[in-house]
Amino acid sequence: MEAPNYGIGNSSHPPHYAREENTPLIPKATQGKFTTEARYNDVWAAALFILNIGGFACLNFHSFKAYANSQTTAPEDDTQVATSTFAVDHSLTILVLSSIAVNFALSFGYFVLIQRKTAFLVKFSFLFNVFLTIGLGIIQIMSGSLLWGGLMLVAGILVLVCYKLWASRMPFSVLLLQTVTSVTRKYPGTLAVAFTGLFIQVAWSALWIFSLAINFFVFQKSSNCRIQEDDGKNKLLCDNNQLYMVMIYIHFVLFWNTEVIKNVVHVTISGVFSVFYFFEGSAQGTPSSPTLGSAKRAMTTSFGSICFGSLLIALLQTLRYVLNSLRSDSDEGLMVFLATCAECVLSCLEGLFETFNKFAFTQVAMYGKPFVKAAQDTWELIKDRGVDAIVNESLVGNVLGMGSLAVALASGLYGYLFFKLFSPTFYAKENEPLVMAAVIVVEMILGFVMMSVPNNVIDSGVTTTFVALAEDPQTLYRTKPQLYHAIAEHYPQVALNVRGVQVFHQ
């Protein structure tokens, strides 16, 4: 593919394609985005996912039944079980409800701040990341850890260099963030989708933890596992590999299901932002209920593609889990070293695959492509706009990451102040330091989780807008010329599509 010449042409003029290979799904011109004639893609992956859920259910039915049969009856003597020092009362109820309200307010407040102070947050979050990394490096050095401290100092300096190199690209990221937050206000269903996905993920995680405990109990007994002391360390030894195989499978189910839930949310939200990009301001107008239409597509015709891409990440995560288990169980230094190196490589690959998948699933949401075709087109996009994609991801990620950290810290502070100001009564006073620490940690986790909802929406919106601009800037000029000119002023590359075809000719 011929390299695009970004320096030629006036990007503020309307684009004109000599040849269009990936026309977006808009009415008449390209079969319509939400038509019922859409093709079901990667059906085999959806079927395999459903079979996997069935296998997990059968395993749990067997284990729960075995666990129930293994339980003994209550003791016949008059032995009393010690009562807990933790009780549910009105103060705990007030803490829970007020924490949810406070975290929601903090998350929404930061969301509004992103829209109103976008340029400031983009710059400040980047510099905050620099100073935080360098500060942690200095603390490490002062504590005696010269190696890790030196590495963090180098990392901080490299981030600062990137700040200087990427300064010219910041206005483009600022404009994307402003556009995305305004679209989210217009389509609040995107936040509802994110909250629904969060609720489903929390419920699935709770079920999985319960399943893990039951299956470990059942198969530990059948594997004749016991604790043996070796060189002052307690090690778990088993007579066969049945337990390990079950644990590997259960973790694989966790990884695959989690990825599917996350990517269904991403594809749904990307579909809504695609509606804005391709329909808003057009003669056809926006479809009715774009959020429901996009969710329907994600759960039907595109569900197989979501399962396919999620499976690849799940396999990498499962392999990392296996390597981590080998490293923990092995006494051989060479084996531990090799497993650590392999896990490090897989961790890097997983991060790259997750970023790649996000762009590929955006193609799935926009065009209804099967996953392989979406991956091929994403590779073309990465080759053509890779640096821009990385810079934009980093700048937006800094803003969202700083928001998560700020909300988590503010939430933890609220938990501390609640204890100091209201003296709750749901715990024994002698346990106050431990309970307070636990509440602060839980509050911070709650704040981080709550902030993930607008973060996911903004991240999906920015990715979708970036991909749409790279694929079809002509539509933006036709439907929203003012936004097109504003973007072209800061991002002249918008005059070219991802195939290197200049969209305006003198």
Side-chain angles (χ1 to χ4, degrees), residues 245-263:
M245 297 303 295
V246 170
M247 289 296 104
I248 290 173
Y249 173 69
I250 289 178
H251 279 81
F252 168 73
V253 174
L254 169 69
F255 299 141
W256 198 6
N257 284 21
T258 299
E259 286 295 315
V260 168
I261 294 170
K262 179 182 71 175
N263 291 323

Side-chain angles (χ1 to χ4, degrees), residues 408 411-413 415-416 419 435-445:
S411 181
L413 177 61
Y416 173 80
F419 267 80
V435 175
M436 182 187 296
V439 168
I440 291 174
V441 171
V442 171
E443 287 283 348
M444 293 181 66
I445 293 174

Side-chain angles (χ1 to χ4, degrees), residues 386-397:
V387 174
D388 298 324
I390 292 172
V391 172
N392 191 59
E393 284 283 304
S394 178
L395 294 175
V396 174

Side-chain angles (χ1 to χ4, degrees), residues 53 126 159 166 189 205 232 393 413 432 452 466:
I53 294 296
F126 210 106
V159 174
W166 294 352
S205 298
E393 284 283 304
L413 177 61
E432 180 169 345
S452 70
F466 181 84

Side-chain angles (χ1 to χ4, degrees), residues 87-240:
V88 177
D89 66 359
H90 69 282
S91 63
L92 178 61
T93 303
I94 293 174
L95 175 61
V96 172
L97 295 179
S98 62
S99 295
I100 294 175
V102 167
N103 280 286
F104 180 83
L106 289 171
S107 300
F108 184 78
Y110 191 79
F111 178 76
V112 173
L113 188 64
I114 289 177
Q115 183 180 359
R116 297 186 177 181
K117 301 292 182 181
T118 313
F120 169 77
L121 285 178
V122 169
K123 294 180 180 179
F124 179 79
S125 62
F126 210 106
L127 293 175
F128 175 80
N129 191 20
V130 172
F131 292 130
L132 179 63
T133 304
I134 293 178
L136 291 176
I138 294 174
I139 293 174
Q140 289 278 359
I141 292 176
M142 292 177 63
S143 63
S145 181
L146 299 180
L147 175 61
W148 291 109
L151 289 176
M152 296 195 74
L153 285 178
V154 172
I157 294 173
L158 289 177
V159 174
L160 183 60
V161 172
C162 289
Y163 174 81
K164 296 293 185 181
L165 295 176
W166 294 352
S168 61
R169 291 180 166 94
M170 286 185 179
F172 174 58
S173 296
V174 169
L175 188 57
L176 281 186
L177 276 171
Q178 291 172 335
T179 302
V180 166
T181 51
S182 65
V183 174
T184 303
R185 285 192 304 151
K186 184 177 180 63
Y187 297 105
T190 53
L191 291 172
V193 169
F195 272 111
T196 301
L198 177 63
F199 175 80
I200 294 174
Q201 182 60 59
V202 171
W204 157 243
S205 298
L207 174 64
W208 182 84
I209 291 172
F210 183 62
S211 170
L212 177 69
I214 297 297
N215 279 283
F216 187 87
F217 175 84
V218 171
F219 287 95
Q220 181 186 26
K221 293 182 65 176
S222 64
S223 299
N224 190 27
C225 293
R226 68 274 183 193
I227 300 296
Q228 179 175 312
E229 185 175 347
D230 184 15
D231 294 333
K233 298 180 180 180
N234 292 330
K235 297 185 60 177
L236 179 67
L237 299 178
C238 300
D239 291 338
N240 58 58

Side-chain angles (χ1 to χ4, degrees), residues 323-400:
L323 289 173
N324 185 56
S325 299
L326 290 175
R327 183 184 62 183
S328 301
D329 295 339
S330 177
D331 293 328
E332 299 181 11
L334 179 60
M335 180 65 70
V336 172
F337 174 75
L338 293 176
T340 302
C341 292
E343 186 181 3
C344 181
V345 172
L346 287 177
S347 178
C348 295
L349 287 177
E350 182 184 334
L352 292 175
F353 265 79
E354 286 182 345
T355 301
F356 184 88
N357 265 11
K358 184 167 63 174
F359 284 95
F361 284 133
T362 301
Q363 299 263 359
V364 170
M366 289 171 53
Y367 302 98
K369 300 175 183 177
F371 181 76
V372 172
K373 175 60 177 173
Q376 292 172 345
D377 291 343
T378 298
W379 178 243
E380 292 298 318
L381 183 145
I382 293 297
K383 287 194 297 183
D384 189 80
R385 305 289 170 91
V387 174
D388 298 324
I390 292 172
V391 172
N392 191 59
E393 284 283 304
S394 178
L395 294 175
V396 174
N398 282 336
V399 174
L400 301 183

Side-chain angles (χ1 to χ4, degrees), residues 485-503:
H485 287 296
I487 291 177
E489 180 181 353
H490 301 296
Y491 187 65
Q493 293 91 326
V494 75
L496 301 167
N497 66 7
V498 295
R499 291 169 297 283
V501 178
Q502 191 163 335
V503 300

